[in-house]
């Protein structure tokens, strides 16, 4: 055996890097294998949702997000030739099937947005920016990342996994496939991948072109499809609803991009250079279980869908944040393998929701008269504060929660962000990757109950400056509330045992 690690991660995209960082933060030896020699610069997701920003905030990475958001806004201002947004909040919260959701219509004072804290304002960061931040974080933590190395086969013998990469073999206790929608790990492990076949052809590119005078910035539906122009120079997207591409793997040429853009817009554009281009469909599939033996899946390896709304990046980051601390607890012997059953139980329903959400958007983009009539109705609804706020809550991810049992309404939700009496914020207490008991009532009984878990759970007694609907909260390392109550310790000890093992 050439090398031995606790965990082998296939794929150094955002999901693989986030997972590796979470594992390493918990003291796990992890290696990341990536077939590409460097970050893929192809244009992909252009924004993150609130849970992703909160996850970065909990690990001290929010400032990096805000810096990159301001740089993105500067590029948008250059394209528009006018002031757009600010570092405090971009002008657009997102879209549903290309129908814009301006922040001016959304009720941003809704309590769920207030509870997100400053992370709720860090949304305009693209996938390459996320990879760069996580790459630097991985290097800082000492994660071993091997680029230009492709996993070709593996053997799961029930005690661990032996991975083959060319002439080299690597042994790991666990293998996690974060290697994208065409995952080699998923295929070799024999995961089922049911779902719906595609019906659209989408193309997204950054190009140099002429004849753009008739193109309007933003999203627009025409008689032949949908197109997007901007919000940065040379960027466009087209959607044609006459079936999937004949050859998804064929190289994307300037002629193909030009022809598609002309068909959809009717404008005589001429593409003279291609800097980035990708082809996509609305293929939607999801594995029934995210674990098979010693092999787990995360991100697009576990679920694929159309890219509308940038949900894929965020869904994958959520998988990594949920799995990381759990797999680390199993690897280090603090918890049994049954903890990993909660990974599928918690993440699969959110993945299924995202798939249906993207399917609904494709249905609303169809070109028949009934669909166009429905689109007009939806546009009117999204022009109202109630309609826009409801949809934005969904695409922002602030309503995502897990069924963890318990009677309190905070259990299963992300811990509310608050400024605390010692000058800190709630999220800052998660930087080390441990659980946190917030004892807002300064209860000696609660602290005594939690003391046996102090090597895994940090105890914070600072009080919130704004009210929280519980006098004490136990939060898991991923920021989700596992127990909430008063200074009565009832229920706290069972929650500590359930999520952090024996005392």
């Amino acid at each position: 055996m050439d090398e031995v690690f606790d965990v082998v991660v296939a794929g150094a995209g955002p999901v693989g890097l986030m997972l590796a960082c979470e594992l390493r933060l918990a003291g796990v030896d992890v290696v990341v294998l990536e077939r590409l020699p460097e970050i893929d610069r192809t244009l992909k997701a252009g924004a993150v949702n609130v849970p992703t920003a909160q996850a970065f905030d909990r690990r001290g990475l929010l400032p990096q997000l805000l810096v990159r958001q301001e740089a993105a806004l500067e590029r948008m201002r250059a394209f528009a030739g006018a002031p757009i947004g600010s570092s405090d909040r971009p002008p657009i919260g997102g879209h549903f099937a290309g129908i814009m959701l301006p922040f001016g219509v959304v009720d941003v004072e809704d309590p769920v947005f207030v509870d997100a804290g400053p992370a709720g304002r860090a949304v305009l960061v693209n996938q390459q920016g996320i990879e760069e931040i996580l790459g630097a974080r991985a290097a800082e933590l000492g994660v071993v990342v091997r680029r230009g190395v492709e996993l070709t086969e593996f053997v799961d013998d029930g005690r661990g996994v032996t991975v083959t990469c060319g002439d080299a073999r690597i042994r790991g206790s666990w293998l996690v496939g974060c290697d994208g929608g065409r995952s080699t790990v998923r295929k070799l492990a024999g995961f089922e991948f049911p779902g719906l076949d595609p019906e659209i052809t989408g193309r997204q590119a950054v190009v140099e072109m002429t004849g753009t005078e008739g193109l309007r910035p933003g999203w627009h539906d025409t008689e032949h499809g949908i197109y997007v122009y901007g919000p940065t120079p040379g960027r466009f997207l087209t959607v044609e609803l006459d079936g999937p591409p004949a050859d998804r793997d064929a190289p994307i040429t300037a002629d193909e991009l030009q022809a598609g853009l002309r068909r959809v817009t009717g404008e005589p554009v001429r593409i003279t250079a291609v800097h980035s281009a990708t082809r996509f469909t609305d293929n939607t599939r999801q594995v029934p279980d995210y674990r098979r033996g010693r092999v787990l899946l995360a991100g697009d390896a576990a679920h694929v869908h159309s890219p509308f709304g940038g949900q894929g990046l965020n869904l994958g980051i959520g998988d990594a944040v949920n799995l990381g601390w759990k797999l680390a607890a199993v690897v280090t012997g603090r918890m049994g393998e049954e903890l990993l059953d909660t990974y599928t139980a918690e993440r699969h329903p959110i993945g299924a929701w995202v798939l249906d959400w993207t399917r609904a958007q494709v249905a609303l983009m169809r070109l028949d008269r009934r669909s166009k009539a429905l689109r007009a109705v939806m546009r009117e609804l999204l022009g109202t504060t109630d309609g826009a706020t409801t949809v934005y809550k969904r695409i922002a991810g602030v309503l995502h929660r897990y069924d963890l049992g318990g009677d309190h309404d905070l259990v299963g939700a992300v811990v509310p962000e608050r400024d605390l009496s010692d000058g800190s914020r709630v999220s800052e207490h998660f930087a080390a990757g441990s659980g946190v008991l917030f004892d807002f009532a300064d209860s000696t009984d609660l602290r005594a109950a939690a003391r046996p878990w102090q090597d895994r759970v940090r105890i914070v007694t600072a009080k919130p400056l704004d009210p929280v609907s519980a006098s004490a909260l136990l939060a898991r390392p991923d920021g989700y509330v596992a127990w909430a109550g008063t200074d009565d310790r009832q229920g706290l000890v069972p929650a500590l045992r359930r999520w952090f093992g024996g005392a």
Side-chain angles (χ1 to χ4, degrees), residues 154-190:
F154 66 83
V155 175
D156 177 358
D157 60 20
R159 299 181 305 277
V161 183
T162 302
V163 173
T164 300
C165 308
D167 296 329
R169 291 194 305 161
I170 300 173
R171 178 72 174 177
S173 296
W174 298 87
L175 169 64
V176 187
C178 304
D179 50 342
R182 305 181 192 186
S183 169
T184 298
V185 173
R186 184 187 67 235
K187 294 172 183 175
L188 292 176

Side-chain angles (χ1 to χ4, degrees), residues 196-439:
L196 297 181
D197 292 333
E199 62 178 62
I200 72 169
T201 295
R203 299 176 181 89
Q204 184 173 209
V206 177
V207 302
E208 294 177 23
M209 56 183 170
T210 59
T212 60
E213 294 80 8
L215 298 182
R216 294 174 293 157
W219 286 72
H220 305 280
D221 50 289
T222 73
E223 292 300 313
H224 303 286
I226 289 177
Y227 80 91
V228 186
Y229 182 44
T232 53
R235 184 257 181 173
F236 75 86
L237 178 149
T238 58
V239 179
E240 297 179 85
L241 294 99
D242 54 356
D247 185 356
R248 176 84 185 274
D249 297 320
I252 304 174
T253 65
D255 286 344
E256 177 187 345
L257 294 169
Q258 178 175 287
L261 188 55
R262 286 182 174 183
R263 279 194 301 271
V264 173
T265 67
E267 296 297 325
V269 295
R270 180 172 177 268
I271 294 176
T272 57
V274 178
H275 299 297
S276 172
T278 184
R279 189 189 292 116
F280 64 87
T281 72
D282 60 327
N283 178 38
T284 50
R285 300 184 182 278
Q286 184 180 27
V287 296
D289 195 318
Y290 291 7
R291 177 188 171 193
R292 188 179 178 90
R294 290 265 172 169
V295 180
L296 299 116
L297 301 178
D300 289 350
H303 37 69
V304 296
H305 50 81
S306 76
F308 300 128
Q311 295 285 345
L313 166 64
N314 297 294
L315 185 58
I317 292 289
D319 291 347
V321 170
N322 185 284
L323 176 60
W325 68 274
K326 294 176 180 178
L327 184 55
V330 173
V331 167
T332 55
R334 296 192 302 271
M335 298 286 287
E337 291 183 20
E338 63 273 7
L339 180 63
L340 296 177
D341 295 336
T342 67
Y343 171 50
T344 296
E346 293 173 7
R347 294 303 299 171
H348 193 280
I350 293 178
W353 172 82
V354 168
L355 262 65
D356 276 344
W357 197 256
T358 60
R359 288 168 179 146
Q361 292 185 72
V362 171
L364 204 59
M365 291 178 176
R366 288 173 179 156
L367 301 175
D368 62 278
R369 291 182 63 182
R370 291 182 177 87
S371 297
K372 283 184 172 293
L374 180 59
R375 185 176 181 84
V377 171
M378 192 68 175
R379 191 186 301 277
E380 184 175 346
L381 289 173
L382 294 183
T384 67
T385 295
D386 286 347
T389 302
T390 298
V391 172
Y392 182 65
K393 284 180 182 179
R394 289 289 184 181
I395 65 175
V398 293
L399 299 182
H400 290 174
R401 59 188 303 142
Y402 302 140
D403 182 6
L404 304 184
D407 298 328
H408 200 284
D409 61 359
L410 284 177
V411 174
V414 173
V415 61
E417 184 62 275
R418 293 289 187 274
D419 292 325
L420 301 178
S421 58
D422 62 357
S424 67
R425 288 191 294 112
V426 161
S427 289
E428 293 172 356
H429 294 281
F430 292 88
S434 65
V436 184
L437 174 64
F438 293 97
D439 176 17

